[in-house]
Amino acid sequence: MVSTSGTELANRRIGWASLALNRGNHSSARRLLDDAERVGGESTRMTANIARRRADLYLREGHTDDALEQARFAIDGYTRCGDDVAAARCGRLVGDILAITGDLPQAATQASSRAGPSGAVRLGARRRSISFTSSIQRVSATRRSARVEKCR
């Protein structure tokens, strides 16, 4: 008989919770995360994984303060484990939460502080892209208004 470890059981429940969350079934997602926490043990990575999913759940339910707390808890856990990629992804989530709550300056600070070298390049490219798009829109608007003037 093959036995399944607590970590594997918890990871399955986290995956199922993510599926339930994507389907809008928040009560099932909450129950599965509670089960994952119960069977998963006390590893830092596991608690960070669960906190990350709880942050998603709270955000979808509109509980931004709880979502922010869980996302920051997950960042701390992933950072202690040395998982910079997961910590950065949670940092992006924190930035999204801050933007949703209307704290755009803090959201921008969060995004740039967690981006790292490759993220900074992407952020820079995104800013250039937005700037270029804005320039094109301004030129296009100027040309449209010039055509309107010619038509009068």
Side-chain angles (χ1 to χ4, degrees):
M1 178 179 194
V2 177
S3 75
T4 307
S5 72
T7 300
E8 188 175 340
L9 289 171
N11 282 328
R12 286 180 185 174
R13 282 168 174 76
I14 290 169
W16 294 334
S18 294
L19 291 171
L21 190 59
N22 286 332
R23 291 183 180 138
N25 192 343
H26 297 173
S27 60
S28 287
R30 179 175 283 103
R31 181 183 48 77
L32 287 161
L33 290 172
D34 289 344
D35 287 348
E37 193 168 40
R38 184 179 47 76
V39 300
E42 297 296 320
S43 82
T44 303
R45 183 177 307 279
M46 184 62 65
T47 56
N49 285 339
I50 293 168
R52 168 66 168 94
R53 295 324 182 278
R54 281 193 197 281
D56 287 334
L57 173 63
Y58 290 144
L59 183 59
R60 289 183 188 214
E61 291 179 334
H63 304 294
T64 54
D65 291 339
D66 294 331
L68 196 55
E69 179 184 331
Q70 289 295 304
R72 286 182 172 152
F73 181 81
I75 289 171
D76 291 340
Y78 287 132
T79 301
R80 278 182 292 186
C81 291
D83 192 343
D84 295 334
V85 173
R89 287 182 177 144
C90 287
R92 185 177 63 196
L93 176 62
V94 168
D96 291 344
I97 295 166
L98 292 168
I100 288 168
T101 61
D103 192 351
L104 297 179
Q106 188 63 33
T109 300
Q110 177 68 33
S112 62
S113 72
R114 284 284 170 191
S118 63
V121 169
R122 284 194 306 272
L123 286 172
R126 185 172 295 145
R127 283 189 195 115
R128 283 192 302 278
S129 173
I130 291 168
S131 176
F132 179 72
T133 303
S134 298
S135 298
I136 290 174
Q137 289 170 344
R138 281 193 303 274
V139 168
S140 179
T142 303
R143 287 183 180 163
R144 271 195 307 273
S145 58
R147 276 185 283 193
V148 169
E149 288 299 318
K150 285 182 183 179
C151 293
R152 288 184 184 178

